[in-house]
Amino acid sequence: MKWDWSAVSEFMPHFWDGLLVTLQALVLGSLISFTLGLVWTLLMRTPTRFVRWPVGVVTEFVRNTPLLVQLFFLFYVLPEWGLTFSALTTGVLAIGLHYSTYTMQVYRAGIEAVPAGQWEAATALSLPVRRTWTVVILPQALRRVVPPLGNYVIAMLKDTPILMSITVLEMLGRARLFSQQHFQFTEPVTVIGVAFIVISTLASLLLRTLERRLVR
């Protein structure tokens, strides 16, 4: 089997289009998962059982069902109820919702790791609840959760190819389409594999740098 550089050159414009879609899905999905995960965590800490119980049920259900099932539900079932989104929007929502149930556990561990003395000091100073969270607790908790959150960013990146199951042409989707049209699979798939390695490595280096800055 001979490596065909002309196939690589022909595939590259398709690759850049797929890369853009992949990065959109990754960034937007990460923002949703980080934000919603923090919301779930705070809701689970409320003293009201009627808030904690439904949140716990929903997050357990999402965490224990496959992402592909959730993706199909959002893409194929919701339109029957009058809720229709574009394929990319559906994919972003599915990734963000799915991983929010995991980032929720990361936030919970980070908050529980804040020393009890910090809570006691905030109480002694009569700080309002909102100020206690925004000024005392969350800044300390967030420093602790950067590494595990970074791991989930990498996991989300590796899950983006699943979006081609609902017609989103991310990197692997573009490679598959190109390969079927030109009957050349080795070059496009290899390019995609290398791209995932490079993006994952760069993301890991960036997260390590951020972690070191936060620890100072």
Side-chain angles (χ1 to χ4, degrees), residues 22-37:
T22 296
L23 294 179
Q24 284 179 327
L26 175 62
V27 172
L28 296 176
S30 298
L31 290 175
I32 291 174
S33 68
F34 294 164
T35 303
L36 193 55

PDB file of all heavy atoms in Angstrom, residues 22-37:
ATOM      1  N   THR A  22     -15.674  20.579  14.895  1.00  0.00           N
ATOM      2  CA  THR A  22     -15.240  19.851  16.095  1.00  0.00           C
ATOM      3  C   THR A  22     -14.924  20.805  17.232  1.00  0.00           C
ATOM      4  O   THR A  22     -15.338  20.587  18.383  1.00  0.00           O
ATOM      5  CB  THR A  22     -14.002  18.988  15.781  1.00  0.00           C
ATOM      6  OG1 THR A  22     -14.354  17.991  14.822  1.00  0.00           O
ATOM      7  CG2 THR A  22     -13.476  18.308  17.041  1.00  0.00           C
ATOM      8  N   LEU A  23     -14.179  21.867  16.939  1.00  0.00           N
ATOM      9  CA  LEU A  23     -13.818  22.827  17.980  1.00  0.00           C
ATOM     10  C   LEU A  23     -15.042  23.578  18.497  1.00  0.00           C
ATOM     11  O   LEU A  23     -15.134  23.875  19.691  1.00  0.00           O
ATOM     12  CB  LEU A  23     -12.773  23.816  17.437  1.00  0.00           C
ATOM     13  CG  LEU A  23     -11.408  23.209  17.102  1.00  0.00           C
ATOM     14  CD1 LEU A  23     -10.474  24.271  16.549  1.00  0.00           C
ATOM     15  CD2 LEU A  23     -10.797  22.546  18.333  1.00  0.00           C
ATOM     16  N   GLN A  24     -15.996  23.880  17.610  1.00  0.00           N
ATOM     17  CA  GLN A  24     -17.237  24.521  18.053  1.00  0.00           C
ATOM     18  C   GLN A  24     -17.974  23.619  19.034  1.00  0.00           C
ATOM     19  O   GLN A  24     -18.422  24.076  20.096  1.00  0.00           O
ATOM     20  CB  GLN A  24     -18.133  24.822  16.848  1.00  0.00           C
ATOM     21  CG  GLN A  24     -17.687  26.006  16.025  1.00  0.00           C
ATOM     22  CD  GLN A  24     -18.614  26.238  14.838  1.00  0.00           C
ATOM     23  OE1 GLN A  24     -19.167  25.300  14.268  1.00  0.00           O
ATOM     24  NE2 GLN A  24     -18.792  27.488  14.458  1.00  0.00           N
ATOM     25  N   ALA A  25     -18.106  22.361  18.666  1.00  0.00           N
ATOM     26  CA  ALA A  25     -18.800  21.417  19.540  1.00  0.00           C
ATOM     27  C   ALA A  25     -18.077  21.256  20.873  1.00  0.00           C
ATOM     28  O   ALA A  25     -18.711  21.194  21.942  1.00  0.00           O
ATOM     29  CB  ALA A  25     -18.941  20.065  18.845  1.00  0.00           C
ATOM     30  N   LEU A  26     -16.749  21.219  20.819  1.00  0.00           N
ATOM     31  CA  LEU A  26     -15.960  21.037  22.043  1.00  0.00           C
ATOM     32  C   LEU A  26     -16.075  22.246  22.965  1.00  0.00           C
ATOM     33  O   LEU A  26     -16.351  22.100  24.165  1.00  0.00           O
ATOM     34  CB  LEU A  26     -14.503  20.793  21.678  1.00  0.00           C
ATOM     35  CG  LEU A  26     -13.522  20.690  22.853  1.00  0.00           C
ATOM     36  CD1 LEU A  26     -13.879  19.516  23.743  1.00  0.00           C
ATOM     37  CD2 LEU A  26     -12.086  20.582  22.340  1.00  0.00           C
ATOM     38  N   VAL A  27     -15.870  23.439  22.422  1.00  0.00           N
ATOM     39  CA  VAL A  27     -15.880  24.651  23.258  1.00  0.00           C
ATOM     40  C   VAL A  27     -17.270  24.905  23.836  1.00  0.00           C
ATOM     41  O   VAL A  27     -17.426  25.123  25.049  1.00  0.00           O
ATOM     42  CB  VAL A  27     -15.408  25.871  22.437  1.00  0.00           C
ATOM     43  CG1 VAL A  27     -15.602  27.152  23.231  1.00  0.00           C
ATOM     44  CG2 VAL A  27     -13.946  25.713  22.043  1.00  0.00           C
ATOM     45  N   LEU A  28     -18.281  24.862  22.993  1.00  0.00           N
ATOM     46  CA  LEU A  28     -19.634  25.138  23.468  1.00  0.00           C
ATOM     47  C   LEU A  28     -20.132  24.031  24.400  1.00  0.00           C
ATOM     48  O   LEU A  28     -20.776  24.315  25.424  1.00  0.00           O
ATOM     49  CB  LEU A  28     -20.589  25.293  22.283  1.00  0.00           C
ATOM     50  CG  LEU A  28     -20.305  26.479  21.361  1.00  0.00           C
ATOM     51  CD1 LEU A  28     -21.256  26.481  20.172  1.00  0.00           C
ATOM     52  CD2 LEU A  28     -20.418  27.795  22.128  1.00  0.00           C
ATOM     53  N   GLY A  29     -19.819  22.786  24.071  1.00  0.00           N
ATOM     54  CA  GLY A  29     -20.201  21.685  24.951  1.00  0.00           C
ATOM     55  C   GLY A  29     -19.527  21.786  26.308  1.00  0.00           C
ATOM     56  O   GLY A  29     -20.140  21.511  27.350  1.00  0.00           O
ATOM     57  N   SER A  30     -18.250  22.195  26.315  1.00  0.00           N
ATOM     58  CA  SER A  30     -17.519  22.360  27.578  1.00  0.00           C
ATOM     59  C   SER A  30     -18.135  23.471  28.423  1.00  0.00           C
ATOM     60  O   SER A  30     -18.306  23.317  29.644  1.00  0.00           O
ATOM     61  CB  SER A  30     -16.049  22.664  27.301  1.00  0.00           C
ATOM     62  OG  SER A  30     -15.427  21.602  26.622  1.00  0.00           O
ATOM     63  N   LEU A  31     -18.470  24.585  27.791  1.00  0.00           N
ATOM     64  CA  LEU A  31     -19.074  25.697  28.529  1.00  0.00           C
ATOM     65  C   LEU A  31     -20.399  25.277  29.161  1.00  0.00           C
ATOM     66  O   LEU A  31     -20.683  25.609  30.319  1.00  0.00           O
ATOM     67  CB  LEU A  31     -19.289  26.888  27.598  1.00  0.00           C
ATOM     68  CG  LEU A  31     -18.032  27.614  27.127  1.00  0.00           C
ATOM     69  CD1 LEU A  31     -18.387  28.702  26.118  1.00  0.00           C
ATOM     70  CD2 LEU A  31     -17.276  28.223  28.311  1.00  0.00           C
ATOM     71  N   ILE A  32     -21.204  24.536  28.410  1.00  0.00           N
ATOM     72  CA  ILE A  32     -22.486  24.073  28.957  1.00  0.00           C
ATOM     73  C   ILE A  32     -22.251  23.101  30.098  1.00  0.00           C
ATOM     74  O   ILE A  32     -22.897  23.198  31.154  1.00  0.00           O
ATOM     75  CB  ILE A  32     -23.332  23.412  27.851  1.00  0.00           C
ATOM     76  CG1 ILE A  32     -23.788  24.459  26.839  1.00  0.00           C
ATOM     77  CG2 ILE A  32     -24.550  22.707  28.454  1.00  0.00           C
ATOM     78  CD1 ILE A  32     -24.517  23.885  25.642  1.00  0.00           C
ATOM     79  N   SER A  33     -21.348  22.164  29.928  1.00  0.00           N
ATOM     80  CA  SER A  33     -21.115  21.159  30.973  1.00  0.00           C
ATOM     81  C   SER A  33     -20.548  21.785  32.234  1.00  0.00           C
ATOM     82  O   SER A  33     -20.946  21.412  33.347  1.00  0.00           O
ATOM     83  CB  SER A  33     -20.176  20.068  30.453  1.00  0.00           C
ATOM     84  OG  SER A  33     -18.868  20.570  30.251  1.00  0.00           O
ATOM     85  N   PHE A  34     -19.632  22.744  32.099  1.00  0.00           N
ATOM     86  CA  PHE A  34     -19.064  23.394  33.275  1.00  0.00           C
ATOM     87  C   PHE A  34     -20.112  24.229  34.011  1.00  0.00           C
ATOM     88  O   PHE A  34     -20.193  24.210  35.240  1.00  0.00           O
ATOM     89  CB  PHE A  34     -17.894  24.291  32.870  1.00  0.00           C
ATOM     90  CG  PHE A  34     -16.710  23.540  32.330  1.00  0.00           C
ATOM     91  CD1 PHE A  34     -15.720  24.201  31.628  1.00  0.00           C
ATOM     92  CD2 PHE A  34     -16.580  22.175  32.530  1.00  0.00           C
ATOM     93  CE1 PHE A  34     -14.623  23.510  31.126  1.00  0.00           C
ATOM     94  CE2 PHE A  34     -15.496  21.477  32.033  1.00  0.00           C
ATOM     95  CZ  PHE A  34     -14.520  22.150  31.329  1.00  0.00           C
ATOM     96  N   THR A  35     -20.905  24.978  33.244  1.00  0.00           N
ATOM     97  CA  THR A  35     -21.909  25.844  33.861  1.00  0.00           C
ATOM     98  C   THR A  35     -23.027  25.027  34.497  1.00  0.00           C
ATOM     99  O   THR A  35     -23.394  25.240  35.660  1.00  0.00           O
ATOM    100  CB  THR A  35     -22.501  26.810  32.823  1.00  0.00           C
ATOM    101  OG1 THR A  35     -21.441  27.566  32.231  1.00  0.00           O
ATOM    102  CG2 THR A  35     -23.493  27.763  33.467  1.00  0.00           C
ATOM    103  N   LEU A  36     -23.564  24.082  33.723  1.00  0.00           N
ATOM    104  CA  LEU A  36     -24.679  23.287  34.224  1.00  0.00           C
ATOM    105  C   LEU A  36     -24.238  22.371  35.361  1.00  0.00           C
ATOM    106  O   LEU A  36     -25.003  22.130  36.307  1.00  0.00           O
ATOM    107  CB  LEU A  36     -25.271  22.456  33.075  1.00  0.00           C
ATOM    108  CG  LEU A  36     -26.624  21.794  33.318  1.00  0.00           C
ATOM    109  CD1 LEU A  36     -27.661  22.820  33.761  1.00  0.00           C
ATOM    110  CD2 LEU A  36     -27.093  21.076  32.058  1.00  0.00           C
ATOM    111  N   GLY A  37     -23.004  21.876  35.288  1.00  0.00           N
ATOM    112  CA  GLY A  37     -22.496  21.048  36.377  1.00  0.00           C
ATOM    113  C   GLY A  37     -22.443  21.803  37.692  1.00  0.00           C
ATOM    114  O   GLY A  37     -22.783  21.266  38.761  1.00  0.00           O
TER     115      GLY A  37
END
